[in-house]
Amino acid sequence: MRVSQVSKLRPGFRLHSSSSFRLLLLAALSVAFPILAGCHRQPPLTPQQADGQHLYAVRCAHCHEDNDLALKPPPPNIHGAMGRAKLPSGAPATDAEVRRLVLVGKGKMPSFSGRFTEEQMAALLAYLHTDMPLPEQ
C-alpha cells in the first residue's frame, strides 16, 4: 500500500521513513536495555553458600533483618557490605574483619565465639559475599 492510499484511508496518517523508524527503535532499545539488564536473575547459591544462608537465617537475621529485639539503634543492614570497601562499622570489609566481629562481638552484637565451626564460618562468609537472597518462607 502506498502512502497516498494510506492517507486516504486514515487522514493525517503518515508513514515515516525507515531511517526515522530505526532511530526511534534505537532510542527505545537504549532506554529498555539497561532496565532489562538490571532484571537478571541471580545465580543459584553453591552448597556452601546455601549452608551460610541457613546459618545467617537462624543466627543473624533476627537482629540484622527483623530486629526482633527492638534494639536502638537497630543493627546495621549488612546486605552488600562485602562488596564495599568498609563495613557499616567503618572497619575494612574483609573476611578476617567479619570473622573477628562475629567471634568477638562489638557494641550490642554479642560474641559468637564457640558457636561456629570453621566450616560454618567459611559458609557464612561465602554467603555474605553473595547478594544475600533470603530463604523463601
Side-chain angles (χ1 to χ4, degrees), residues 41-50 53 130 133:
R41 294 194 68 199
Q42 45 196 1
L45 298 177
T46 66
Q48 183 186 40
Q49 292 167 337
Q53 179 188 50
T130 70

Side-chain angles (χ1 to χ4, degrees), residues 1-2 9 12 20 22-23 37 40 52 58 63 71-72 76-77 86 98 101 103 105 108 123 127 129:
M1 186 177 280
R2 283 192 248 141
L9 295 173
S20 295
R22 287 183 195 146
L23 281 174
H40 65 82
V58 298
C63 285
L71 299 171
K72 300 284 185 200
N77 179 339
K86 296 188 181 279
V98 170
L101 286 172
L103 296 178
K108 293 178 184 171
Y127 173 66
H129 280 281

